[in-house]
Amino acid sequence: MQRLEILNVSIACLDQAGLVAQALDWAESPGRRVIHYANAHSLNLACEQPAFCDLLNAADLIYADGVSLSWAACLLHRQRLEKLTGADWLDPLCAGAALRGLRLYLLGGRPGIAEKAAQNLLQRHPSLKIVGTADGFFQQRSPAAIAEEIAHLQPQLVLVGLGAPLQEHWIAKWKAALPAG
């Protein structure tokens, strides 16, 4: 997979179909894989905080979530880099997960948001298997309790939406406790 370095972060050169295919293939494979996004905010954080830069680069794949990265790729590397937001590839990911019978867990947002997202996704993909949800405020349950629940439910895909840098730190801290593949 071709990658471009932008501000010391290695960005994968993938289109939407390539990103979805890679995520689904990894979900069916043994081992734990991490996909992060990079945008102007996360790259600024990575420049200011070398430890966060290392955390980003420890991911198996980082995709461009912002037009500023597309511009940077063009200016710095004379390469086209497709901008992909989570909203761009969530629906195709869920369609593929439903076809393959993969189990998902949704973590993030204010209380009730992950549950509402699950309902919306199930309306569009009735055969999708969403095995659990949790908000990202951790007021009702601790991060450890949520990680334990995820481990017990054994989803193949865990979608974490806490915003940068919280989601990257949460994933790094709890990755080893989560199911693999």
Side-chain angles (χ1 to χ4, degrees):
M1 168 183 335
Q2 183 184 359
R3 297 175 191 262
L4 300 176
E5 190 170 295
I6 300 175
L7 296 176
N8 297 319
V9 176
S10 179
I11 312 295
C13 299
L14 290 173
D15 61 10
Q16 181 188 82
L19 178 58
V20 169
Q22 185 65 79
L24 292 171
D25 288 348
W26 281 345
E28 292 182 314
S29 302
R32 293 173 185 87
R33 304 295 181 123
V34 173
I35 298 174
H36 287 314
Y37 66 78
N39 58 22
H41 173 64
S42 59
L43 289 184
N44 282 330
L45 288 173
C47 286
E48 295 168 358
Q49 303 169 19
F52 182 66
C53 185
D54 293 342
L55 193 64
L56 277 178
N57 282 318
D60 298 288
L61 188 153
I62 305 167
Y63 68 91
D65 179 1
V67 72
S68 59
L69 273 72
S70 297
W71 293 340
C74 184
L75 292 170
L76 297 172
H77 300 284
R78 302 205 188 288
Q79 293 279 331
R80 184 180 178 280
L81 191 59
E82 186 169 337
K83 173 195 78 84
L84 298 164
T85 66
D88 291 332
W89 70 286
L90 179 63
D91 203 57
L93 177 73
C94 289
L99 284 172
R100 296 180 186 208
L102 299 175
R103 298 177 308 280
L104 276 73
Y105 190 99
L106 306 178
L107 168 61
R110 295 185 313 270
I113 298 298
E115 291 85 359
K116 182 65 175 164
Q119 291 169 3
N120 291 339
L121 290 169
L122 287 169
Q123 285 178 349
R124 289 197 301 274
H125 308 285
S127 62
L128 185 63
K129 297 176 184 173
I130 299 177
V131 297
T133 63
D135 70 71
F137 281 55
F138 307 112
Q139 293 174 342
Q140 301 294 336
R141 295 184 289 165
S142 70
I146 292 170
E148 185 177 310
E149 177 183 69
I150 294 169
H152 174 74
L153 294 172
Q154 296 288 306
Q156 288 112 336
L157 291 163
V158 179
L159 305 181
V160 181
L162 304 175
L166 296 177
Q167 61 204 11
E168 292 83 2
H169 286 289
W170 192 91
I171 292 166
K173 181 172 184 175
W174 299 105
K175 176 184 173 183
L178 301 180

